[in-house]
Amino acid sequence: MSLCILAGGKVTALAVSLFSLSWTHSVQKTEWRETWAVTDRGLEIREAAIKGSGAGMEPGPDAVLRGGWWVWHPALAPQKRVSLAASGMTPSAWRLCHEGGCMELGAKAGDEVVLSGCP
């Protein structure tokens, strides 16, 4: 499977089956991280982790504290696409990492990025 990234009117395809998304919350200035898999059914979230809580960033009900991170497994159906929007209020862009490296997405307010499995 491959991950397709639509950003700035261009599509980039990455030959990856697993990737992570991370960002810093605009109010709490706390890092949030999610691990996703690209599958035949869509994008499946495998794990979420947060360095703290508050302002709508509460850990899931089954979260455990591991190495300073609250880690849990969200119950979310596979997604055909995941839209990332940049508000301009966060101190950082979205960071997408995979086995081959990392990239920043949606650094400017109004930037929209759409992730999906490649057809």
Side-chain angles (χ1 to χ4, degrees), residues 22-32 57 85-95 104-109:
S22 61
W23 65 94
T24 302
H25 190 273
S26 59
V27 176
Q28 295 298 116
K29 308 296 188 250
T30 301
E31 189 176 357
W32 185 291
M57 295 187 63
S87 67
M89 302 304 291
T90 56
S92 66
W94 296 87
R95 185 166 176 83
E104 289 192 350
L105 303 168
K108 297 178 190 167

Side-chain angles (χ1 to χ4, degrees), residues 50-70:
I50 186 170
K51 279 269 192 178
S53 64
M57 295 187 63
E58 293 79 18
D62 63 335
V64 295
L65 189 58
R66 188 181 319 145
W69 290 81
W70 286 104

Side-chain angles (χ1 to χ4, degrees), residues 23-103:
W23 65 94
T24 302
H25 190 273
S26 59
V27 176
Q28 295 298 116
K29 308 296 188 250
T30 301
E31 189 176 357
W32 185 291
R33 181 177 58 210
E34 296 175 344
T35 302
W36 290 82
V38 184
T39 72
D40 291 336
R41 298 183 308 169
L43 301 180
E44 296 181 8
I45 190 165
R46 297 291 168 89
E47 183 177 271
I50 186 170
K51 279 269 192 178
S53 64
M57 295 187 63
E58 293 79 18
D62 63 335
V64 295
L65 189 58
R66 188 181 319 145
W69 290 81
W70 286 104
V71 180
W72 71 100
H73 303 281
L76 181 68
Q79 304 293 299
K80 292 295 177 194
R81 65 178 170 260
V82 174
S83 296
L84 310 176
S87 67
M89 302 304 291
T90 56
S92 66
W94 296 87
R95 185 166 176 83
L96 186 146
C97 295
H98 53 88
E99 188 176 274
C102 296
M103 63 179 66

Side-chain angles (χ1 to χ4, degrees), residues 2 10 65 74 85 111:
S2 294
K10 297 178 186 177
L65 189 58
D111 284 355

